[in-house]
Amino acid sequence: MSATTTTTAGTHILVIPYPAQGHLIPLLDLTHRLCVRGFIITVVVTPKNLHLLQPLISNSPSIKTLVLPFPNSPDVPPGVENVKDLPPGIPNSVVMGALRALHDPLVDWFQSHLSPPHVILSDFFTGWTHHLAQQLGIPRLVFYSSGACLILVTNWLWDHFSLLEPADSDLVTISDIPNSPSFFYRQLPPIFRRYWENKSKMGFIKDGMTANNSSWGGIFNSFGALEGRCLEHLKEENGHSRLWAVGPLLPSEDVSGRGGSPSIPTDQVLEWLDAFSESSVVYICFGSQVSLTQPQCEELAVGIEKSGARFIWCVKVDGSGGEYGVVPIEFEERTAERGLVIKGWAPQVAILKHRAVGAFLTHCGWNSVLEGIIAGVTLLAWPMAGDQFVNSKMLIHDMGVAVLVCEGPDTVPDSDHLARALSESVSSARPEKARAAELQKAAMNALKEGGSSKKDLEDLVEELSALSNEKIGR
């Protein structure tokens, strides 16, 4: 469906993001796609996160913002409104808990609005908005900034967690879902560990996650060729077909400042890459929340040097006084002819799309996974926490596009093993590279006219358009 206001005019969507880059960026990409189709959109945002919406607003001036103060909470340090700004050791579940206090201000705003929303579109970490939507008498759409496989795993865990005996060495088999994957307890999303350790205080997490399954519908940043079986299984679990896979959700064009301000101009990075041959550079980045320890940084640096590979290494900068690892002294000087170290936010999408980049050493966060897939690069997996073990297992064992090089937030990699993996990822015809090219083609086809994601987006637009005319049941 082309951008139009013919059928969508009048449908008002209230978008409630979760303030973490990995959640916020794809939801804003989806919001832009809905905006150009004529929907009226209001995005809820706290003051310190307003700047993250500027690229979206500048490209979609019809989008309105509802700026609400971040709720006071004894668990959240003063001034923190984004997960990436949490000091080390404080879990993002404290932000999940604090945001629930936005319920009453949103009710007040809704009841005083001349043209209130017809639907709430909110992140799956804000499950409390399902109850908000029920109170307001409107449907709620869940946005999953993760894969469908993860949701199958977490649904199973919530159903069976009381039967588990948690110990780090326990192997948990997630039965009754495609491929029945197994994980050690320590590899499961930390949210379960926190719930288990303090059920009385963390019960809101289970309530929010299970409320997602009761919501009117769900949208996944995924596509059929990647997760078709999991998506169909979820539809069976939920008892309806209102689940749409519209990914990969990437910007239609490179947007400066998308998710953050690059610490180095994009043009400068691309110019540096222009000097190298096709698929000869490894891009190394662990996302906005993962921070390597000093021993990990040092061993990674040794592995990079031993590999002889050309590289871009994006290093997280410590702005909170925590103990983040730093690049070893003189490493940049010794590798200056074949490497570039970016300290801070990097223009990741632009880097991965460049012809010179052939491999991506990643923590396997879902956005990074999709950005790597759409770029057709070989993925070198180092899962740390969260959804990353689920994602990496699917990429390695089910899709065959990734190679495991290390795992765990505290594990120090073997520099020799890492060096071989880095070197081989750009210098040999590994089978993963060919399969990555096939998956890239499937992802691109999903977004084209007649593709699975394009069809799902068109169907979603049609369903949302009907809401203002009350043509569907609630």
Side-chain angles (χ1 to χ4, degrees):
M1 180 181 290
S2 60
T4 179
T5 61
T6 302
T7 61
T8 63
T11 304
H12 186 180
I13 304 172
L14 179 64
V15 177
I16 305 177
Y18 180 70
Q21 258 73 345
H23 294 244
L24 183 65
I25 292 173
L27 179 53
L28 294 184
D29 287 333
L30 173 62
T31 300
H32 172 71
R33 282 160 175 73
L34 296 176
C35 176
V36 299
R37 285 164 171 81
F39 292 104
I40 300 167
I41 294 177
T42 301
V43 182
V44 177
V45 64
T46 58
K48 288 189 176 181
N49 288 321
L50 185 58
H51 72 282
L52 296 173
L53 270 65
Q54 292 307 317
L56 171 68
I57 295 171
S58 62
N59 285 275
S60 310
S62 62
I63 292 178
K64 306 302 180 184
T65 58
L66 172 57
V67 182
L68 295 175
F70 190 90
N72 291 324
S73 171
D75 297 322
V76 181
V80 171
E81 297 183 14
N82 193 296
V83 168
K84 73 178 182 65
D85 297 324
L86 286 171
I90 297 182
N92 65 19
S93 57
V94 301
V95 175
M96 294 173 66
L99 290 176
R100 293 177 296 159
L102 293 178
H103 176 280
D104 289 350
L106 286 170
V107 171
D108 292 341
W109 173 83
F110 182 93
Q111 293 176 342
S112 64
H113 202 285
L114 294 177
S115 301
H118 301 93
V119 61
I120 290 175
L121 169 59
S122 56
D123 188 272
F124 78 118
F125 270 24
T126 62
W128 56 270
T129 58
H130 168 66
H131 306 302
L132 171 66
Q134 285 184 314
Q135 181 177 343
L136 299 176
I138 60 176
R140 183 241 178 168
L141 263 173
V142 190
F143 177 72
Y144 293 98
S145 53
S146 66
C149 182
L150 174 76
I151 303 307
L152 282 179
V153 169
T154 55
N155 285 350
W156 187 94
L157 287 169
W158 289 126
D159 288 342
H160 296 83
F161 210 61
S162 61
L163 304 177
L164 301 177
E165 293 293 335
D168 283 353
S169 59
D170 284 353
L171 190 66
V172 180
T173 298
I174 314 297
S175 56
D176 304 323
I177 72 171
N179 300 318
S180 298
S182 296
F183 304 93
F184 290 108
Y185 179 78
R186 64 177 179 272
Q187 297 175 330
L188 298 177
I191 203 168
F192 291 99
R193 188 188 304 271
R194 296 188 193 107
Y195 172 74
W196 183 270
E197 293 173 350
N198 195 344
K199 292 181 181 179
S200 60
K201 184 177 181 180
M202 306 298 283
F204 73 90
I205 292 179
K206 181 178 181 180
D207 176 74
M209 291 299 180
T210 54
N212 291 333
N213 299 326
S214 301
S215 293
W216 177 76
I219 306 171
F220 282 89
N221 185 17
S222 190
F223 60 101
L226 180 64
E227 293 197 294
R229 290 178 62 197
C230 291
L231 288 162
E232 290 304 314
H233 197 95
L234 273 175
K235 290 178 182 179
E236 293 178 8
E237 282 191 359
N238 289 1
H240 62 77
S241 60
R242 292 187 301 275
L243 293 177
W244 297 276
V246 299
L249 285 167
L250 299 175
S252 55
E253 57 187 31
D254 290 331
V255 179
S256 178
R258 175 178 177 263
S261 299
S263 57
I264 180 172
T266 301
D267 290 346
Q268 184 176 331
V269 179
L270 300 183
E271 183 179 352
W272 184 86
L273 284 168
D274 286 341
F276 301 109
S277 59
E278 184 173 351
S279 299
S280 64
V281 177
V282 181
Y283 174 58
I284 303 166
C285 184
F286 298 97
S288 60
Q289 294 187 46
V290 174
S291 303
L292 298 184
T293 64
Q294 191 58 39
Q296 288 173 330
C297 275
E298 291 175 358
E299 198 70 4
L300 175 55
V302 173
I304 292 172
E305 287 200 67
K306 288 181 178 179
S307 73
R310 301 179 179 93
F311 67 92
I312 293 179
W313 182 5
C314 179
V315 181
K316 185 173 181 179
V317 176
D318 178 12
S320 64
E323 296 180 358
Y324 292 11
V326 298
V327 177
I329 298 174
E330 298 182 353
F331 170 81
E332 292 180 70
E333 295 179 12
R334 293 194 300 268
T335 59
E337 293 185 0
R338 61 181 176 90
L340 175 65
V341 175
I342 299 176
K343 297 176 181 178
W345 192 260
Q348 180 162 294
V349 173
I351 291 172
L352 289 170
K353 287 171 60 178
H354 195 282
R355 58 163 183 80
V357 177
F360 179 16
L361 174 54
T362 171
H363 64 311
C364 294
W366 192 246
N367 287 332
S368 292
V369 164
L370 291 177
E371 290 165 4
I373 286 174
I374 207 73
V377 298
T378 301
L379 299 174
L380 303 177
W382 184 349
M384 303 280 191
D387 63 340
Q388 297 154 26
F389 290 99
V390 176
N391 298 342
S392 64
K393 181 156 289 194
M394 177 182 67
L395 294 167
I396 295 166
H397 299 291
D398 301 341
M399 306 307 298
V401 297
V403 180
L404 183 68
V405 297
C406 191
E407 57 181 342
D410 303 314
T411 305
V412 177
D414 177 83
S415 60
D416 290 331
H417 173 67
L418 193 57
R420 286 192 298 271
L422 293 171
S423 178
E424 291 175 0
S425 69
V426 292
S427 64
S428 65
R430 293 187 62 98
E432 292 84 4
K433 191 172 187 64
R435 287 194 283 267
E438 294 172 1
L439 192 56
Q440 176 196 34
K441 183 178 180 181
M444 297 295 292
N445 287 339
L447 298 172
K448 294 179 180 177
E449 199 67 41
S452 63
S453 294
K454 180 74 169 180
K455 287 180 178 178
D456 271 17
L457 182 59
E458 291 171 350
D459 184 49
L460 172 64
V461 167
E462 184 176 344
E463 293 275 16
L464 289 175
S465 301
L467 288 174
S468 60
N469 298 319
E470 299 182 350
K471 293 181 179 178
I472 61 175
R474 299 184 180 182

